[in-house]
């Protein structure tokens, strides 16, 4: 039973495969957190009352410290999850327990303010098979007067005190270096991870992991140690706050949800507001198990069902080959070569519409440029289809260039303040997606485009951060939420009408890589940085949270590090997720084209294991010299190992594999050191391991395992 309720103690116990999460309604009607961690044999094994610690008149009460959802009320030390202003100006919320409801794997606990007509439902969804749960809240205004929501997070909870120190692992970055690993010790004070620019952002990813550091200073590893983690299913402004107080045994709390920055929401009479879900998990077997649980959760619970279990196609994308110089002839030449390489989808990127010859003009004018495509897109699509590929197209629907017919006709459609010049980013402005006329227009042209053409793949881009978050006729402080709600709704409507179309989420690379997008889109364009060595760091960070099959990795000619990479190294780096090719095929020699075609064919053979298998990091996060990964699907495995740096004096550590059957023999093939055995038991591979053949800094190894 994933949800149990014990009436006598008013105790809720939520269990997944290996974890348990407990809270209780106190005698005075407060939901107090009791436990989150490993599942224990008996209910009596859990702490069944909150710790009774002394506090002073300077500190928040015990109730607040242990609150399952902290409201702005009383002495408020910690980040509140709920802050409101009632119509009479009162800003204090005092909730008391009303009732609960259990429906299968869902629990909701209803609370109500002791005076005002505000009710709150704490909602829990347990996903036992992914070893995870998700939390969100819905707030109801049952009165006649409006209530202003100033902050409403999805979840907050205290973490077990007295168990050691916590270390935070998170992902941070910028354009072209998304999802880089960051680690820091949690010390008294507040650490806030945030997105504030109307998209989840390049700078930080809405994910956290807190592992316990033991008294010897040792944190969790890939397969050992305890890790608490979570991620927000939201693509707009967000925040995750981790805070620790010195008193009360250095109690640590974590909270997350929609960012209160630039946000407030008028909750009218008889209205409700639902937060996004925050997915939460605990691993007692290190970061490896954390990643696999997150991957399963995204794949099985979130990804749009049409393609959730389908293999992602090998794609060719025109961007780095021709940038804005797309036209029928240039694309046909590329398509003829792409099909020979084995591409399955041919995606025409930016530049096909309006007066789009550079990033200075054209966004908003979504008609084919007649000089580039005199007969529209249909002849090119037909040609691509004849060559055996599906056709895909780039769009950036939420943006407009001031130099466009759309902007000339509707300057009021862009977010703006009437009394100041809007600041452009990449020469563009953001369309006000909160307006119904903008939504209708957007849905209209996208639907028409997909209805009239055989388009099977849409790359949906978003290339700037917001500046003037202004809207003269609407609630400006609701923009950060309404924009994202409208985006989700438009994509959902398009998907319902065009269920055979794959949708890729892109934001100048990986600026919108989050669980919200992965609920509406099938995968993500990971980064505009396609240097294969840089990409290893970005891909390591992305795959920490999100499944490899949702991570598109293109092979290009980029070489920011003067690595002079072999074609094999470039391909192997891109084998880590869903394979794409983004290089100018016209500049490749016949020999390189033939080698590339063989590598694509090899990827296709390995793809079911890479895309549907379990993912294991064989080197620890942040290791500087070698990165290695294993993908394992039943008896079939793929190991990818990459040299990053090399020191002559160092021997490569053996890589111990995971997830094999101990007694069974595995046949190994590929780039192993010459004296390495080719037939080993699962036990030997998991205990002794193997040594890949990595001969210099930028060499890569690919090894396959086959169960005998
Ligand atoms: C940013 C994307 O990340 C690129 O792949 C490309 O689509 C450009 N935009 C096009 O403007």
């Amino acid at each position: 039973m994933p949800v149990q309720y014990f009436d006598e103690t008013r105790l809720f116990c939520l269990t997944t495969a290996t974890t348990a999460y407990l809270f209780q309604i106190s005698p005075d009607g407060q939901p107090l957190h009791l436990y989150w961690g490993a599942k224990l044999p008996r209910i009596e094994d859990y702490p069944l009352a909150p710790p009774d610690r002394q506090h002073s008149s300077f500190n928040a009460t015990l109730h607040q410290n242990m609150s399952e959802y902290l409201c702005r009320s009383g002495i408020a030390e910690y980040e509140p999850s709920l802050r409101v202003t009632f119509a009479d100006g009162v800003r204090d919320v005092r909730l008391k327990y009303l009732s609960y409801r259990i429906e299968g794997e869902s629990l909701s606990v209803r609370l109500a303010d002791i005076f005002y007509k505000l009710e709150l439902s704490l909602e829990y969804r347990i996903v036992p098979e992914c070893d995870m749960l998700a939390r969100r809240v819905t707030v109801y205004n049952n009165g006649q007067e409006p209530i202003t929501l100033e902050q409403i997070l999805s979840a907050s909870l205290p973490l077990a005190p007295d168990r050691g120190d916590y270390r935070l692992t998170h992902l941070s970055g910028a354009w072209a270096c998304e999802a880089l690993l960051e680690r820091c010790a949690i010390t008294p004070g507040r650490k806030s991870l945030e997105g504030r620019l109307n998209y989840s952002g390049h700078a930080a990813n809405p994910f956290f992991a807190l592992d316990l550091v033991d008294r010897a200073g040792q944190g969790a590893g890939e397969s050992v140690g305890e890790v608490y983690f979570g991620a927000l299913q939201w693509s707009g402004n967000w925040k995750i706050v981790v805070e620790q107080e010195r008193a009360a045994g250095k109690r640590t709390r974590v909270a997350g949800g929609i960012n209160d920055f630039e946000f407030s929401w008028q909750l009218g009479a008889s209205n409700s507001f639902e937060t996004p879900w925050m997915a939460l998990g605990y691993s007692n077997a290190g970061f490896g198990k954390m990643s696999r649980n997150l991957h399963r959760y995204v794949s099985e619970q979130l990804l749009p069902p049409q393609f959730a279990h389908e293999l992602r196609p090998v794609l060719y994308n025109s961007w780095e080959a021709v940038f804005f110089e797309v036209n029928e002839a240039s694309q046909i030449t590329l398509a003829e070569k792409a099909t020979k390489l084995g591409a399955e989808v041919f995606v025409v990127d930016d530049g096909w519409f309006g007066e789009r010859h550079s990033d200075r003009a054209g966004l908003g004018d979504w008609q084919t440029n007649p000089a580039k495509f005199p007969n529209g897109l249909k002849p090119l699509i037909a040609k691509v289809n004849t060559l055996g590929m599906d056709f895909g197209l780039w769009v950036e629907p939420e943006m407009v260039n001031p130099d466009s017919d759309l902007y000339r006709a509707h300057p009021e459609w862009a977010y703006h303040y009437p009394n100041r010049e809007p600041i452009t980013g990449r020469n563009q402005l953001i369309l006000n997606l909160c307006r119904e006329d903008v939504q209708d227009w957007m849905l209209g042209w996208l639907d028409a485009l997909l209805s009239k053409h055989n388009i099977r793949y849409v790359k949906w881009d978003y290339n700037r951060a917001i500046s003037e978050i202004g809207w003269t006729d609407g609630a400006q402080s609701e923009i950060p939420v309404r924009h994202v709600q409208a985006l989700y709704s438009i994509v959902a409507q398009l998907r319902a009408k065009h269920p055979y179309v794959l949708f890729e989420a892109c934001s100048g690379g990986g600026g919108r890589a989050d669980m919200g997008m992965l609920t509406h889109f099938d995968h993500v364009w990971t980064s505009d940085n396609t240097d294969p060595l840089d990409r290893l760091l970005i891909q390591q960070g992305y795959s920490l949270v999100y499944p490899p099959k949702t991570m598109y990795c293109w092979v290009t000619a980029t070489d920011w590090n003067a690595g002079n990479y072999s074609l094999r190294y470039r391909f192997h780096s891109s084998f880590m997720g869903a394979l794409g090719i983004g290089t100018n095929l016209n500049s490749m020699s016949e020999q390189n084209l033939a080698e590339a075609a063989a590598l694509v064919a090899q990827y296709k053979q390995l793809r079911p294991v890479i895309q549907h298998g379990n993912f294991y990091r064989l080197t620890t996060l942040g290791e500087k010299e070698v990165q290695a990964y294993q993908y394992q699907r039943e008896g079939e495995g793929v190991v990818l190992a990459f040299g990053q740096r090399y020191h002559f004096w160092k021997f490569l550590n053996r890589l111990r594999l995971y997830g094999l059957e101990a007694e069974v023999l595995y046949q190994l093939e590929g780039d192993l050191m010459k004296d390495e055995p080719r037939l080993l038991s699962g036990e030997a591979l998991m205990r002794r391991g193997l040594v890949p053949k990595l001969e210099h800094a930028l060499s890569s190894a690919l090894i396959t395992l086959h169960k005998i």
Side-chain angles (χ1 to χ4, degrees):
M1 286 260 286
V3 187
Q4 283 173 285
Y5 175 67
F6 299 87
D7 201 22
E8 220 166 278
T9 40
R10 299 206 287 186
L11 178 79
F12 295 96
C13 176
L14 320 179
T15 49
T16 65
T18 69
T19 77
Y21 184 106
L22 278 81
F23 66 98
Q24 179 178 49
I25 306 298
S26 70
D28 58 350
Q30 300 303 306
L32 300 184
H33 185 82
L34 294 179
Y35 177 86
W36 184 25
K39 186 149 97 181
L40 304 177
R42 306 170 320 137
I43 192 75
E44 295 77 15
D45 292 334
Y46 297 107
L48 294 181
D52 190 8
R53 285 257 172 63
Q54 277 225 303
H55 66 278
S56 78
S57 58
F58 294 97
N59 301 118
T61 60
L62 168 74
H63 272 31
Q64 280 171 321
N65 286 340
M66 294 310 290
S67 175
E68 183 65 6
Y69 191 76
L70 208 54
C71 301
R72 200 258 162 253
S73 178
I75 297 175
E77 275 193 299
Y78 288 112
E79 181 79 23
S81 291
L82 184 64
R83 278 193 296 123
V84 310
T85 304
F86 293 105
D88 59 6
V90 169
R91 292 166 56 228
D92 187 78
V93 186
R94 292 202 192 170
L95 298 177
K96 274 201 165 186
Y97 174 70
L98 270 189
S99 59
Y100 76 92
R101 179 198 284 257
I102 296 173
E103 272 171 313
E105 290 165 350
S106 299
L107 163 71
S108 61
V109 175
R110 198 76 166 211
L111 311 164
D113 188 83
I114 54 172
F115 179 81
Y116 297 96
K117 297 266 180 246
L118 175 144
E119 282 186 23
L120 185 90
S121 169
L122 299 178
E123 292 162 30
Y124 301 79
R125 223 165 59 78
I126 296 92
V127 192
E129 58 291 0
C130 299
D131 231 359
M132 292 192 51
L133 57 97
R135 284 187 58 181
R136 74 166 180 199
V137 300
T138 305
V139 63
Y140 302 85
N141 179 357
N142 295 335
Q144 297 306 314
E145 313 258 37
I147 300 173
T148 308
L149 304 177
E150 277 153 13
Q151 174 154 357
I152 177 156
L153 300 183
S154 303
S156 72
L157 74 159
L159 296 179
D162 301 339
R163 306 229 17 234
D165 292 325
Y166 288 98
R167 172 177 66 165
L168 175 67
T169 298
H170 62 106
L171 301 174
S172 101
W175 175 76
C177 61
E178 299 86 340
L180 300 185
L181 186 77
E182 284 292 337
R183 283 191 150 153
C184 62
I186 292 297
T187 53
R190 178 173 303 168
K191 172 96 178 169
S192 188
L193 311 173
E194 300 191 41
R196 291 176 161 211
L197 300 171
N198 207 42
Y199 71 135
S200 45
H202 293 85
N205 194 278
F207 152 82
F208 76 91
L210 286 160
D211 61 317
L212 275 160
V213 178
D214 65 20
R215 286 180 170 77
Q218 190 61 46
E222 273 310 303
S223 56
V224 293
E226 296 180 70
V227 189
Y228 294 90
F229 56 93
L232 291 165
Q233 297 173 204
W234 183 241
S235 315
N237 291 353
W238 61 275
K239 82 170 171 188
I240 294 175
V241 179
V242 183
E243 51 192 340
Q244 189 181 71
E245 64 168 354
R246 185 162 289 287
K250 285 195 181 168
R251 185 172 288 116
T252 304
R253 280 193 73 97
V254 58
I258 292 170
N259 203 327
D260 55 317
F261 174 75
E262 302 273 21
F263 166 80
S264 74
W265 188 275
Q266 277 301 101
L267 193 64
S270 311
N271 274 340
S272 63
F273 182 92
E274 212 170 66
T275 69
W277 291 99
M278 183 174 195
L280 293 165
Y282 161 82
S283 157
N284 58 359
F287 287 97
K289 182 173 172 188
M290 172 195 85
S291 294
R292 285 185 294 283
N293 286 351
L294 284 163
H295 294 176
R296 202 167 312 131
Y297 180 77
V298 172
S299 297
E300 288 168 17
Q301 302 293 317
L302 303 186
L303 283 180
Q306 294 97 321
F307 300 107
H309 303 289
E310 300 288 313
L311 293 172
R312 298 296 180 268
V314 175
L315 69 77
Y316 180 79
N317 179 294
S318 67
W319 176 242
E320 290 198 26
V322 292
F323 294 103
F324 294 97
E325 283 169 34
V326 289
N327 58 50
E328 199 177 304
S330 78
Q331 296 303 292
I332 287 179
T333 314
L334 287 171
E336 279 165 344
K337 297 196 168 171
T339 193
K340 288 194 192 137
L341 284 191
E344 294 157 314
V345 185
F346 183 85
V347 183
V348 172
D349 210 282
D350 202 347
W352 59 269
F353 52 91
E355 290 307 312
R356 187 75 171 163
H357 307 291
S358 72
D359 62 19
R360 309 199 74 80
L363 282 177
D365 300 340
W366 296 103
Q367 304 80 30
T368 322
N369 179 292
K372 296 178 180 181
F373 297 94
N375 302 304
L377 289 171
K378 283 191 178 154
L380 173 61
I381 298 177
K383 178 70 184 174
V384 166
N385 292 160
T386 322
L387 290 169
M389 295 179 290
D390 282 336
F391 183 79
L393 198 61
W394 177 95
V395 292
E396 194 177 3
E398 296 154 85
M399 299 287 169
V400 64
N401 284 118
D403 185 0
S404 67
D405 292 341
L406 181 74
Y407 190 74
R408 283 182 280 273
H410 289 293
E412 76 287 4
W413 278 16
Y415 292 121
H416 68 286
Y417 297 122
N419 52 6
R420 13 202 110 216
E421 267 300 292
I423 294 169
T424 54
R426 208 195 189 207
N427 304 302
Q428 62 199 49
L429 300 171
I430 305 180
L431 287 172
N432 184 343
L433 215 51
C434 310
R435 293 175 61 119
E436 269 177 37
D437 48 3
V438 174
Q439 294 170 14
D440 292 346
W441 165 83
M442 193 180 290
L443 191 58
W445 73 259
L446 279 161
D447 179 32
L449 183 72
L450 297 181
S451 302
K452 289 187 193 142
H453 299 90
N454 187 20
I455 295 172
R456 296 290 172 128
Y457 190 106
V458 167
K459 176 178 175 184
W460 185 299
D461 210 342
Y462 182 90
N463 275 305
R464 67 160 294 187
I466 204 159
S467 46
E468 295 75 25
I469 187 157
W471 178 12
T472 35
D473 320 316
Q476 314 209 29
S477 57
E478 295 181 6
I479 292 172
V481 170
R482 289 196 185 277
H483 187 103
V484 180
Q485 287 174 338
L487 166 70
Y488 290 167
S489 153
I490 288 171
V491 177
Q493 290 175 70
L494 286 172
R495 293 198 80 116
K497 283 195 84 175
H498 307 281
Y500 43 82
V501 179
L502 276 157
F503 283 80
E504 176 178 70
C506 171
S507 173
R512 260 182 177 172
D514 59 70
M515 285 190 177
M517 292 309 269
L518 288 174
T519 309
H520 296 87
F521 289 72
D522 301 291
H523 43 254
V524 168
W525 172 224
T526 319
S527 178
D528 278 347
N529 185 343
T530 52
D531 178 282
L533 184 61
D534 285 355
R535 274 305 275 258
L536 290 179
L537 295 180
I538 296 166
Q539 292 169 185
Q540 170 184 257
Y542 182 94
S543 58
L544 185 66
V545 186
Y546 309 105
K549 70 164 175 266
T550 65
M551 165 174 86
Y552 257 98
C553 313
W554 300 353
V555 175
T556 69
T558 304
D559 192 351
W560 299 123
N561 294 303
N564 202 14
Y565 309 104
S566 67
L567 199 59
R568 232 175 148 254
Y569 194 85
R570 291 181 190 278
F571 266 90
H572 286 172
S573 169
S574 296
F575 276 17
M576 269 190 70
L579 178 65
I581 299 155
T583 200
N584 189 348
L585 302 179
N586 300 323
S587 336
M588 280 175 83
S589 67
E590 285 305 318
Q591 195 190 343
N592 278 348
L593 285 169
E595 189 185 348
L599 285 157
V600 171
Q602 186 184 28
Y603 174 79
K604 285 183 183 167
Q605 272 187 347
L606 305 176
R607 174 166 59 176
V609 178
I610 291 175
Q611 296 195 11
H612 294 329
N614 282 329
F615 178 72
Y616 299 92
R617 280 179 292 273
L618 306 182
T619 43
T620 40
L621 285 164
E623 238 177 83
K624 298 274 186 298
E625 277 137 29
V626 173
Q627 275 191 40
Y629 302 94
Q630 177 193 351
Y631 303 76
Q632 193 65 35
R633 191 180 191 220
E634 290 149 20
E636 305 296 318
V638 174
V639 172
L640 287 168
F642 304 95
Q644 301 178 105
R645 275 190 214 157
Y646 181 78
H647 299 294
F648 179 60
W649 64 86
K650 272 201 108 159
F651 286 103
L652 182 63
N653 288 338
R654 302 188 75 84
L655 300 174
R656 290 164 64 157
L657 305 193
Y658 292 94
L660 305 178
E661 289 174 63
E663 305 288 322
V664 162
L665 284 181
Y666 290 85
Q667 179 79 53
L668 304 175
E669 274 171 33
D671 307 312
L672 285 156
M673 282 304 240
K674 97 168 159 318
D675 44 0
E676 284 289 305
R678 299 298 203 257
L679 193 64
L680 275 177
S681 68
E683 182 88 32
L685 285 164
M686 292 190 290
R687 296 202 182 275
R688 270 186 66 204
L690 51 76
V691 187
K693 189 172 166 204
L694 291 181
E695 285 164 323
H696 53 86
L698 297 176
S699 60
S700 57
L702 190 156
I703 297 155
T704 56
L705 283 86
H706 173 69
K707 176 174 150 181
I708 301 287

